[in-house]
Structures are given as C-alpha cells and as structure tokens.
C-alpha cells in the first residue's frame, strides 16, 4: 500500500510586515535582514489563529482532491491555539470531520516532515484510507518584542497535503523518509516558560521563543545534508536525479549552503523565504503550493523535502510529484 498526494492547499494572513516596518520597531535595517537571511517581508496574522489558517489550507486541499472527508488529520505546529488540547481536533471539527482521529505533531520547524512521515505511514499500513497533513504556525504570537533576530525571521502561514491510498507507485507517491533528533541540544531553540520544567523549578522563565542562531545554522546544514543523502540512497536515486529540493525556509544562506554541500545547482532548491520569512512547520507545504502554482513541478518529478528545527529535530522525505489536474492559486492572499 502506498500514500499518494491528491490535494494541496495553503493559507496566508493578509497583513504584510516589511523589513522597513521592522526597522521602525527594532534596531535593524532592510539591508541587514536581506543580506543575512534573504527575507524582505513576512505575514503576521491579526485575526486568524493557527487553527484558522490550518483549516483554510486544509479546505483548499480537500477541494482540490474533490473530497469532503478524510480518515485522519495530522497537524504540525509549534504555535497551537492552546497549550492543551491539541489544535488538530478543532481543525477537524471546523472541516465537519467531528469523529475522525486528529492530533498535533510537535517538532517545530521539522514538524511538517515529521507529520508527513506519520501521515504516510498511517495510509501505508492500510488502516487509514486518507489523511490530511497540515503545517500551520502563528509565530508572530510567540516572538519576543525585544529580540530583533527572531523578529526579523519568523512569519505566519499554513499549508496542507491530502494523502490517499494507492495500490501502485504512481506519480505523487510518498517514498523513503528519515527522521532524527538530539534532545541534548534542546536549549538551542526553545520557549523556556509555560511548560512543566519552569513550573517545577518555580522559575520565572520567558514565555517567548528563543534561538541560538549561529549554532543552529551550522547543525542545520550538516543534519539536512545527511538526511537528504539518506533518502536519496534509500530510494535508489542519485543526487543528480533530483528535480527539486524543497528545504525548510529558515535562511537563504542555509539553503544555499545545503545545495552547495550536496553539489546541486542552486536553482534546484525551491526558495520562497523572501516573501514569507521562516514559517516553521508551514514553510515546506507553502513552498510546495507556491512551486505548484508557478508550474515549477511536472508530474513524476523527483522531489526531496528536508527540514531542521527545535528539539533539535531533522528529517527528509522523497516523493514524486502528482499529476494534478488542477493547480492551486498562487499564495498571494
Ligand atoms: O527554523 C528553525 C531553524 N532556524 C534556523 O535555521 C536559523 C538559523 N540561524 C540563522 O539563520 C542566523 O544565525 C541568524 C539569521 C539567526 C543570525 O544571523 P548570523 O549571521 O548568524 O548573525 P549572528 O547571530 O552571528 O549576529 C551577528 C550580529 C550580532 O551583532 P554583534 O554581536 O556582532 O554586534 C547580532 O546582534 O548581528 C546582530 N543582529 C542583528 N543586527 C541587525 C542580529 N539580528 C539582527 C537584526 N538586525 N535583525
């Protein structure tokens, strides 16, 4: 049994925050942000929660596949609507899928690769006929107003893929996956407050997202390179066979360094960070939606998704591009 992509959707909040806007808030500049990260603007949600954006993206994926229901919903997010319960059940309810299993996956910027691997496995076992896999974030809600570094990088958005059972390995099939973690590096990317650690320690810990950027940068390239090589080998492909590398959009310098390490022409890497910033678990499905709308992928193309994030966590997945009969609209809203 195989898991095949039959729908794709995305959702972006309307409010655009440019680097020039940020320079009014922080001691920063358009030049610094553009040169160090490749980001020109990002979206901040003013009215929609993570669950709202996830629901919108999922609706588009359902519409594209022509389905009204699925057997399960898996949502990757580090910015859930509530610390408890998970956000996926309320997304399922808003989609009119009250009784289906729905749960969150927490792997920060690797979240979508983790969720896609889990979602594909649910279908491949034969237990579930179809699974919605969503990555959705509102990082604007957890940014430290005093931290110009994270403030410059992160943005909000959501993307979704619909997976359905397939008996053959046709275009759109999810292939090999590799996932990993190193909890010894948990402090590299963290919200110190709000969890049991701070409560037990009685500590007055920050409720904001924190990141040790330089250390994360180096490890991200190393781990994603190894993960990509693993899945390419597992598929029996060669690196030169890859039509598109769709990495997590953390920093354009990380993406360029990854392509260089893999000896891939830089144009094979799909990059949408300039307009959206780092949308964490949403970045890969948003890049897929944008790439699809731009006609970047052909049916049967060999794609590798790769991500690195808090935990620390990382992973990569091989897939072939489906033969969509219709394409989603460009993510311009
Ligand atoms: O998505 C999950 C995984 N996340 C990532 O992969 C992010 C990985 N890290 C990065 O993308 C980069 O490390 C950053 C973009 C976060 C930072 O870039 P960097 O080139 O590593 O800069 P840095 O942290 O070494 O800081 C260099 C300087 C510092 O000033 P001093 O100490 O040299 O005087 C920072 O205070 O740049 C300063 N700086 C800024 N200056 C203007 C940091 N943020 C800003 C800013 N505007 N927004």
């Amino acid at each position: 049994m195989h898991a095949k992509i039959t729908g794709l959707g995305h959702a972006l909040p309307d409010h655009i925050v440019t680097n020039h806007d940020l320079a009014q808030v922080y001691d920063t500049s358009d030049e610094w942000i553009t040169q160090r990260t490749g980001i020109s603007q990002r979206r901040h949600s003013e009215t929609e929660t993570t669950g709202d954006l996830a629901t919108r993206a999922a609706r588009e994926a359902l519409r594209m596949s022509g389905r009204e229901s699925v057997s399960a919903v898996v949502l990757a997010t580090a910015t859930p609507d509530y610390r408890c319960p998970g956000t996926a059940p309320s997304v399922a309810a808003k989609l009119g899928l009250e009784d289906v299993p729905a749960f969150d996956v927490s792997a920060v910027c690797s979240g979508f690769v983790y969720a896609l691997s889990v979602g594909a496995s649910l279908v491949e076992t034969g237990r579930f006929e179809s699974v919605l896999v969503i990555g959705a974030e509102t990082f604007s809600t957890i940014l430290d107003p005093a931290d110009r570094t994270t403030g410059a990088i992160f943005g909000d958005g959501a993307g979704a893929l619909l997976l359905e059972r397939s008996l053959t390995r046709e275009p759109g099939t999810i292939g090999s996956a590799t996932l990993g973690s190193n909890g010894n590096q948990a402090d590299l990317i963290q919200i110190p407050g709000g969890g049991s650690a701070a409560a037990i320690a009685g500590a007055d810990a920050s409720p904001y997202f924190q990141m040790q950027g330089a250390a994360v940068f180096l490890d991200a390239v190393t781990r994603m390179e190894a993960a990509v090589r693993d899945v390419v080998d597992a598929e029996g492909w060669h690196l030169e066979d890859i039509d598109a590398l769709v990495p997590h959009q953390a920093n354009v310098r990380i993406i360029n360094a990854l392509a260089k390490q893999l000896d891939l022409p830089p144009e094979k890497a799909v990059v949408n960070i300039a307009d959206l910033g780092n949308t964490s678990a949403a970045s890969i499905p948003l890049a897929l939606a944008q790439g699809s709308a731009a006609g970047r992928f052909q049916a049967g193309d060999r794609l590798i998704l790769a991500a690195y994030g808090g935990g620390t966590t990382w992973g990569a997945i091989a897939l072939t591009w489906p033969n969509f009969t219709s394409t989603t609209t460009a993510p311009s809203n």
Side-chain angles (χ1 to χ4, degrees):
M1 198 77 74
H2 301 285
K4 182 188 160 187
I5 302 168
T6 61
L8 173 66
H10 75 279
L12 290 169
D14 290 332
H15 184 56
I16 294 173
V17 178
T18 66
N19 292 348
H20 298 287
D21 295 332
L22 288 184
Q24 310 295 314
V25 180
Y26 306 108
D27 178 15
T28 190
S29 65
D30 175 48
E31 191 187 13
W32 191 97
I33 300 172
T34 309
Q35 285 182 1
R36 295 296 187 106
T37 69
I39 300 168
S40 300
Q41 61 182 46
R42 69 288 295 145
R43 305 293 181 103
H44 282 185
S45 183
E46 294 179 312
T47 55
E48 291 175 293
T49 67
T50 294
D52 294 333
L53 291 169
T55 304
R56 220 159 29 96
R59 271 208 189 99
E60 195 171 273
L62 281 166
R63 212 168 30 240
M64 187 174 186
S65 69
R67 298 181 66 101
E68 291 187 355
S69 67
V70 289
S71 325
V73 177
V74 184
L75 170 66
T77 188
T79 50
D81 287 2
Y82 302 98
R83 235 190 97 202
C84 169
T87 303
S90 83
V91 171
K94 286 179 198 160
L95 293 168
L97 308 170
E98 282 87 355
D99 293 335
V100 305
F103 58 95
D104 291 5
V105 166
S106 176
V108 201
C109 297
S110 306
F112 188 77
V113 166
Y114 266 66
L116 184 56
S117 180
V118 169
S121 303
L122 295 178
V123 174
E124 287 159 1
T125 60
R127 287 188 177 221
F128 291 82
E129 189 265 331
S130 54
V131 178
L132 258 174
V133 180
I134 312 167
E137 303 281 15
T138 48
F139 256 66
S140 63
T141 62
I142 57 166
L143 293 175
D144 183 344
D147 182 1
R148 62 183 175 175
T149 306
T150 51
I153 296 171
F154 288 93
D156 304 342
L161 285 187
L162 195 110
L163 301 178
E164 291 184 48
R165 192 181 281 172
S166 166
L167 294 174
T168 56
R169 277 205 103 181
E170 49 199 285
T173 301
I174 305 297
S176 304
T178 182
L179 303 173
S181 76
N182 179 5
N184 294 318
Q185 303 192 126
D187 61 338
L188 291 187
I189 295 174
Q190 200 171 54
I191 300 176
S196 65
I200 297 290
D204 185 16
S206 168
Y208 296 120
F209 179 85
Q210 297 176 355
M211 179 172 70
Q212 296 178 36
V216 169
F217 192 117
L218 294 175
D219 203 36
V221 176
T222 306
R223 292 298 191 180
M224 283 196 287
E225 181 197 347
V228 170
R229 289 185 186 280
D230 277 357
V231 292
V232 167
D233 282 352
E235 277 303 294
W237 295 349
H238 300 286
L239 281 166
E240 55 270 27
D241 298 332
I242 298 174
D243 296 297
L245 172 68
V246 187
H248 165 52
Q249 310 284 308
N251 185 324
V252 76
R253 289 160 50 216
I254 292 179
I255 296 172
N256 290 340
L258 176 62
K260 190 167 173 212
Q261 289 297 112
L262 293 166
D263 221 5
L264 284 178
E267 59 274 13
K268 285 207 174 177
V270 176
V271 182
N272 68 349
I273 194 169
D275 290 339
L276 303 182
N278 179 345
T279 54
S280 186
S283 84
I284 288 178
L286 278 167
L288 292 175
Q290 215 156 22
S292 176
R296 171 102 195 235
F297 315 124
Q298 308 303 316
D301 272 5
R302 295 172 172 193
L303 271 65
I304 301 286
L305 318 183
Y308 178 93
T312 54
T313 53
W314 56 86
I317 295 187
L319 59 89
T320 54
W321 195 247
N323 192 4
F324 284 138
T325 47
S326 60
T327 53
T328 53
T329 52
S332 56
N333 67 322

